[in-house]
Amino acid sequence: DGGITQSPKYLFRKEGQNVTLSCEQNLNHDAMYWYRQDPGQGLRLIYYSQIVNDFQKGDIAEGYSVSREKKESFPLTVTSAQKNPTAFYLCASSIKGTGGRTFFGQGTRLTVV
Amino acid sequence: RKEVEQDPGPFNVPEGATVAFNCTYSNSASQSFFWYRQDCRKEPKLLMSVYSSGNEDGRFTAQLNRASQYISLLIRDSKLSDSATYLCVVSLSGYALNFGKGTSLLVTP
C-alpha cells in the first residue's frame, strides 16, 4: 500500500539532545513537509521541500533542520536549540503544485523529559 | 490577524442533527481551500476540497465565498462517527497549507 511512514510513533528526548524523526513516502510525491501541532493549536509549518536537494524554511524553522537527499525521504532533526520541542510532529507529502491533496503520516509524538 | 480563523466550538449535537462550521481567511490571493478531519491524536485526513460553485459529498456540503473570504462546511444527518475536529485549510502557493485551529464536533446518541 502506498503511503507515508513516520517513525518512531513516540519519542522521548532528554534536554540538550538532538533527535531525528524519520519520514518515508512511496507515493512518488515531489513535495514533502513537516508540521508541528501543539494541543489546541493548528498545524504550523516547519520546513518543506519541493524537490530533491532543496528545501525552504516554514514559519517556525528555528531549532530544526532537514535534509532531502532522496525523493522518498525527508528526515527532521530537532536540535537542542529548539526551546520547546514537546509536540506532535506530522510529515506530509503532495504531488507538486497541488497544494491540498496532501497526505499525512501518522505522526511522531515527541516528549522532552 | 491569523490567516485562517475558525470557531473552536465544541459543537455538541444529537445524532441526526444538521451542523454548520464556518471559517474565514485573510489572504485574498489564496488559491486552494479544503476541509480536513482530524480524530483525537491522529493525523489529519482530507475530507473534501472546496470550490466557489459549492460541492457536495454525501452528507457533507462545502461552500466558498471568495468575495467575503469565507468557507463553510455543512454536515447533515450527523452520525456518532462524525465526532472529530474539522480543520479549515487554505493554500496560498499551491504547496504548503495554512491550517485553522479546528472546530471540535461531538455527536451524541
Side-chain angles (χ1 to χ4, degrees):
Chain A
D1 286 342
I4 302 174
T5 301
Q6 287 187 243
S7 62
K9 190 172 182 179
Y10 299 96
L11 185 59
F12 297 89
R13 187 193 96 171
K14 293 183 179 179
E15 286 195 27
Q17 283 184 335
N18 292 355
V19 290
T20 297
L21 282 57
S22 170
C23 178
E24 304 279 332
Q25 55 98 359
N26 60 6
L27 298 168
N28 200 33
H29 285 170
D30 292 298
M32 296 188 73
Y33 315 84
W34 275 103
Y35 291 91
R36 166 182 174 144
Q37 187 175 34
D38 294 282
Q41 301 295 314
L43 279 69
R44 292 182 290 168
L45 182 65
I46 304 173
Y47 268 98
Y48 66 102
S49 168
Q50 299 174 16
I51 56 172
V52 174
N53 293 322
D54 187 50
F55 48 82
Q56 288 77 40
K57 293 182 179 180
D59 300 320
I60 54 165
E62 185 175 351
Y64 299 98
S65 66
V66 293
S67 63
R68 186 85 187 276
E69 296 177 1
K70 299 186 299 181
K71 186 175 185 178
E72 301 79 18
S73 179
F74 192 41
L76 174 74
T77 297
V78 184
T79 74
S80 56
Q82 170 49 237
K83 298 306 179 188
N84 186 21
T86 294
F88 186 41
Y89 290 88
L90 288 156
C91 179
S93 71
S94 69
I95 297 172
K96 188 174 181 180
T98 60
R101 304 245 9 129
T102 299
F103 297 87
F104 286 84
Q106 292 186 319
T108 293
R109 203 164 292 276
L110 173 64
T111 304
V112 173
V113 297
Chain B
R1 178 182 175 187
K2 295 193 183 302
E3 292 193 41
V4 182
E5 296 206 52
Q6 296 180 249
D7 181 346
F11 284 60
N12 294 338
V13 303
E15 271 188 292
T18 296
V19 61
F21 303 140
N22 303 317
C23 167
T24 58
Y25 60 96
S26 61
N27 195 324
S28 60
S30 297
Q31 297 180 2
S32 307
F33 310 89
F34 310 90
W35 284 100
Y36 275 72
R37 170 191 169 132
Q38 186 174 27
D39 292 291
C40 187
R41 302 177 73 84
K42 300 283 191 180
E43 74 276 21
K45 293 184 179 178
L46 179 65
L47 180 65
M48 59 197 304
S49 302
V50 189
Y51 305 109
S52 298
S53 57
N55 48 301
E56 187 173 308
D57 183 1
R59 297 181 293 108
F60 298 84
T61 301
Q63 290 278 353
L64 166 65
N65 185 321
R66 284 187 180 268
S68 303
Q69 296 178 205
Y70 172 92
I71 305 163
S72 67
L73 176 68
L74 183 76
I75 305 175
R76 292 181 300 277
D77 188 22
S78 298
K79 311 291 185 191
L80 296 176
S81 58
D82 293 334
S83 298
T85 297
Y86 290 83
L87 306 173
C88 179
V89 184
V90 173
S91 177
L92 174 63
S93 64
Y95 284 98
L97 306 175
N98 290 316
F99 287 81
K101 291 186 179 181
T103 298
S104 176
L105 172 65
L106 178 62
V107 181
T108 56

